[in-house]
Amino acid sequence: MTTLIDKIDRKKKYKKVAYYPGCALEGSAQPYDKSTRAVGKELGLELVEIKDWNCCGAMEVKNIDPEIQTYLSSRVLSDAQHKSKQDVVMAPCNGCYHNLKKAEYDLENKDKSRAVTEKISKKAGHETYKSGDVETIHALDWIKFGYGEEELKAKIKGGLKGLKVASYYGCMYTRPRHIFPEKDQGGDSESTSKPHYMDDLLAIAGAENVEFPLKTACCGGAHTLSDSDMSTKLVLNILEAAEAAGAEVIATECPTCHSGLEMHQIRALKRLSKNTNVKVVYFTQLLGMAMGLSPRKVGLHANISDSVGFMKQKGIT
Amino acid sequence: MAIHEKSLIRPENITTHDNLIIDGIDVSGDWSTFIRTRVVSDYNEDLEEEIAAMPGGEYIHRCWQCGSCTNSCTVNAENPDFNPRYWIYLIRMGMEDELLRDKDIIWQCVSCNKCTSACPRDVEPEGVMKATAHWMELKGHTPPSNSTIFDDIFTEQVIKYGRIEDGEVLKDFMKKSGQPLMQDWIVQMVKQMIKGLPVMSLMKMGWATIFHPKTKNWAKARDAINEHIAEEHAAQKKALGLESVE
Ligand code: SF4
Ligand code: SF4
Ligand code: SF4
Ligand code: SF4
């Protein structure tokens, strides 16, 4: 259970955090980076981008060598602690967030991970990261606890006007459960079977959450290019379920999930003649617009899924 | 409850007599369906150990065959032949020939970790799937899957530069996996992407593919990682009884 003291504590702790954008936000997911920074600025939350960060290894490096994946993530944590002098890292990408959490778990529980991390850190010439030194949080935690939900209510200008939203969390935000010991703890902790942090924030921003059964379904992101037919099928399941639930928009909180939905929405139309109209939008873009930021400010034009006209029509922008 | 794994009884192991009368009773067709008796003698006693020597396969010995992995599996819901519980069983029994029948689909695991979340024995079945797929390739039973080709390209970029550039990964992958880059849906995607973008970010994206994003002071980490991976690969080959060719 979180007490009031915890709440005040976290608010202080998350007000200024190390920022780990990761490769995707630097590349194809620039709108997510842009809207995250814009929302942070609007809320007075400070981001210190980790200097010289490296890729966490995504899902791919683990398949070549799991301990190297742990090392890569541990280097990010080490830099956050020793170079950026922060004890909290915020990652908006589920892949990055997951890997930093997984590194934390592996360094705590697996001798080999610890040994390899130490060996390579020494050779690479930086401090070896020790589990427990830095707390990893997602952009959702950052806004929910760093700014506060009550406070957020006062920040909404115009709002989302009852926009029907399906919040989609994907796989890596909640699975596997054992790397997220803080979840499923009752009180206001996140649930791994029915996550709700994004739903909660968007409801405050004036959206209507639809009953969406595929919140944590997999979009096949790992094989988005290597087994595209499978990914298209899995994405189509998600898009169709969202539409069946009455959603006009799918809100995302991960660049890989987001681009997977966008890409395979197009591919489903081209290859399977299956047309879906639901828009794919980052939750930070929705929050930003609800607070009165312009679509340009949150990078809405740069999404592949075109929702600019739709938002205007809804009176949201 | 539906019989989830009915597909495991292969058609060639089922006999049905179209015309059969026993003691004057007509048992033709479905009434005389039997599963053929089989004797398996070609066990590979080392199979479990070999898979356990591959990254991800370490905990396979913990499995108690509850079936939670298969029941929760994303790919199984699309293709009932994709059956992690069954493959783990075959590996632990040493039934290599049976396992090889599914050699072309095991790599399709999408790493959603539903199985690893559901498993009551911490087997980490997702890792076992990856270990098995890599074992198939190292042993020469299958060529490198698209998934492995992708992992390789991605990992090479990370090790070389410290970061990846997604456009470059896409281009490299399409080339190495023999797929055309100019597919209708990719073209459409790029069109929709370009449409909303201001000239500045278009230029930025163009630069990114020429000047690959790099992590500063990366060289020492790069060398240490390469060294470690080479050692691990040599150890894996040895565990599989393969000559190290590197
Ligand atoms: S998970 Fe993706 S975005 Fe995050 S650092 Fe790794 S490659 Fe980059
Ligand atoms: S939903 Fe897709 S992109 Fe997101 S974590 Fe799962 S596989 Fe990856
Ligand atoms: S869930 Fe775990 S214990 Fe159960 S069959 Fe799968 S691997 Fe074995
Ligand atoms: S990780 Fe692979 S084996 Fe496990 S549930 Fe997902 S697709 Fe199935």
Side-chain angles (χ1 to χ4, degrees):
Chain A
M1 272 298 288
T2 19
T3 61
L4 189 62
I5 309 271
D6 290 339
K7 259 195 176 156
I8 298 168
D9 247 23
R10 276 211 262 189
K11 205 164 174 180
K12 259 205 258 159
K13 247 185 14 194
Y14 297 176
K15 197 164 165 52
K16 180 176 175 185
V17 295
Y19 180 42
Y20 179 40
C23 314
L25 271 73
E26 188 184 59
S28 57
Q30 281 171 26
Y32 193 22
D33 180 60
K34 194 172 180 180
S35 53
T36 300
R37 290 178 195 266
V39 166
K41 199 171 161 203
E42 197 63 19
L43 299 179
L45 299 172
E46 195 183 334
L47 293 175
V48 186
E49 182 168 342
I50 298 174
K51 234 180 125 220
D52 291 339
W53 54 264
N54 57 276
C55 174
C56 69
M59 289 184 263
E60 285 76 9
V61 175
K62 166 188 128 303
N63 297 337
I64 306 290
D65 192 309
E67 285 78 27
I68 292 299
Q69 167 117 46
T70 306
Y71 163 72
L72 290 169
S73 301
S74 83
R75 185 184 184 276
V76 174
L77 292 163
S78 168
D79 282 356
Q81 184 184 8
H82 299 286
K83 288 195 192 153
S84 304
K85 308 282 177 216
Q86 299 299 315
D87 50 14
V88 178
V89 177
M90 188 278 275
C93 164
N94 275 355
C96 304
Y97 167 72
H98 171 104
N99 278 346
L100 299 189
K101 290 278 191 192
K102 184 167 186 299
E104 197 68 58
Y105 178 87
D106 285 352
L107 290 174
E108 180 74 35
N109 296 291
K110 297 182 178 174
D111 295 341
K112 189 172 177 192
S113 294
R114 247 190 329 263
V116 173
T117 297
E118 198 172 315
K119 177 180 87 176
I120 300 183
S121 299
K122 273 202 185 122
K123 287 188 184 169
H126 60 80
E127 298 274 345
T128 304
Y129 176 73
K130 302 257 174 335
S131 61
D133 281 355
V134 172
E135 180 187 0
T136 300
I137 61 172
H138 192 273
L140 287 166
D141 303 296
W142 178 58
I143 296 169
K144 182 180 165 87
F145 297 108
Y147 194 70
E149 293 185 306
E150 280 307 313
E151 294 80 349
L152 188 63
K153 280 180 193 155
K155 268 284 180 185
I156 303 303
K157 283 195 214 99
L160 295 174
K161 306 204 159 80
L163 186 73
K164 293 199 178 65
V165 177
S167 288
Y168 175 58
Y169 299 82
C171 313
M172 315 264 272
Y173 177 67
T174 57
R175 281 193 302 268
R177 270 186 312 190
H178 63 253
I179 66 170
F180 304 108
E182 70 286 2
K183 291 182 177 163
D184 296 327
Q185 297 302 310
D188 58 7
S189 70
E190 182 62 296
S191 155
T192 58
S193 54
K194 278 195 180 158
H196 54 83
Y197 280 10
M198 185 163 37
D199 297 69
D200 298 347
L201 292 175
L202 293 173
I204 292 171
E208 184 190 320
N209 295 318
V210 303
E211 195 55 52
F212 180 43
L214 297 189
K215 277 171 195 283
T216 65
C218 175
C219 76
H223 288 166
T224 194
L225 296 171
S226 41
D227 193 5
S228 306
D229 289 340
M230 179 66 75
S231 298
T232 301
K233 261 197 249 165
L234 295 175
V235 167
L236 194 59
N237 291 345
I238 293 163
L239 299 171
E240 287 181 340
E243 289 195 344
E248 300 161 291
V249 167
I250 296 181
T252 55
E253 41 84 292
C254 165
T256 318
C257 304
H258 182 98
S259 59
L261 295 187
E262 285 183 323
M263 278 166 70
H264 291 282
Q265 185 170 39
I266 294 172
R267 199 170 181 277
L269 178 62
K270 291 276 175 194
R271 294 292 161 89
L272 306 172
S273 305
K274 294 270 190 187
N275 188 27
T276 46
N277 291 311
V278 64
K279 314 288 178 203
V280 187
V281 186
Y282 289 109
F283 87 98
T284 41
Q285 295 180 310
L286 291 170
L287 274 187
M289 289 189 292
M291 296 188 305
L293 298 178
S294 72
R296 287 254 172 235
K297 271 250 164 75
V298 295
L300 198 66
H301 298 75
N303 287 357
I304 294 175
S305 166
D306 183 3
S307 59
V308 178
F310 170 78
M311 293 294 172
K312 204 176 260 168
Q313 195 192 321
K314 282 265 148 188
I316 289 167
T317 60
Chain B
M1 200 174 151
I3 302 172
H4 276 289
E5 305 194 273
K6 204 171 164 187
S7 63
L8 290 183
I9 308 166
R10 302 186 196 263
E12 64 269 28
N13 292 331
I14 295 176
T15 63
T16 304
H17 294 270
D18 291 337
N19 291 301
L20 187 65
I21 294 172
I22 297 177
D23 292 343
I25 299 166
D26 185 356
V27 289
S28 305
D30 284 350
W31 294 104
S32 63
T33 298
F34 289 98
I35 302 171
R36 249 187 252 277
T37 326
R38 278 192 317 154
V39 178
V40 182
S41 54
D42 53 348
Y43 293 99
N44 171 359
E45 301 286 357
D46 298 328
L47 190 55
E48 180 176 4
E49 252 174 68
E50 290 184 6
I51 300 289
M54 302 296 296
E58 295 86 343
Y59 309 119
I60 187 171
H61 62 280
R62 294 175 179 167
C63 174
W64 61 15
Q65 289 292 304
C66 70
S68 300
C69 47
T70 295
N71 205 32
S72 63
C73 177
T74 299
V75 178
N76 177 266
E78 301 293 332
N79 174 9
D81 288 339
F82 189 97
N83 192 334
R85 181 208 59 79
Y86 176 56
W87 294 330
I88 291 172
Y89 170 77
L90 295 179
I91 294 165
R92 299 204 60 206
M93 299 304 274
M95 293 162 84
E96 186 170 331
D97 282 351
E98 287 286 308
L99 182 71
L100 287 177
R101 287 169 181 247
D102 291 326
K103 66 184 166 52
D104 295 323
I105 58 171
I106 295 177
W107 70 274
Q108 284 186 301
C109 160
V110 288
S111 295
C112 68
N113 274 315
K114 288 194 175 177
C115 52
T116 297
S117 256
C119 177
R121 296 280 294 159
D122 287 340
V123 172
E124 303 190 3
E126 184 267 347
V128 177
M129 294 304 106
K130 294 294 160 191
T132 308
H134 284 146
W135 175 88
M136 297 269 176
E137 293 170 7
L138 273 183
K139 284 272 181 166
H141 296 304
T142 54
S145 69
N146 274 350
S147 177
T148 301
I149 296 174
F150 192 84
D151 291 344
D152 279 346
I153 292 172
F154 191 100
T155 305
E156 263 169 40
Q157 275 204 25
V158 177
I159 296 176
K160 194 161 160 202
Y161 301 111
R163 294 186 192 181
I164 60 129
E165 198 282 302
D166 25 26
E168 198 171 317
V169 173
L170 173 95
K171 264 194 311 195
D172 268 15
F173 172 74
M174 288 309 199
K175 204 165 107 196
K176 290 213 178 118
S177 62
Q179 302 181 60
L181 186 57
M182 290 293 150
Q183 300 185 46
D184 53 356
W185 64 280
I186 297 179
V187 173
Q188 182 63 28
M189 194 180 80
V190 173
K191 269 195 206 151
Q192 285 183 220
M193 194 157 83
I194 290 172
K195 150 200 79 7
L197 285 182
V199 185
M200 261 311 287
S201 40
L202 279 181
M203 280 179 53
K204 216 169 142 195
M205 285 168 68
W207 286 120
T209 41
I210 301 167
F211 297 108
H212 196 287
K214 290 186 180 82
T215 303
K216 284 199 201 100
N217 305 316
W218 183 246
K220 277 197 257 167
R222 178 197 63 205
D223 295 346
I225 292 171
N226 276 330
E227 204 177 300
H228 175 78
I229 290 183
E231 281 166 25
E232 288 290 309
H233 281 188
Q236 284 157 20
K237 283 199 174 154
K238 201 168 154 213
L240 267 49
L242 299 166
E243 273 316 306
S244 179
V245 273
E246 274 139 331

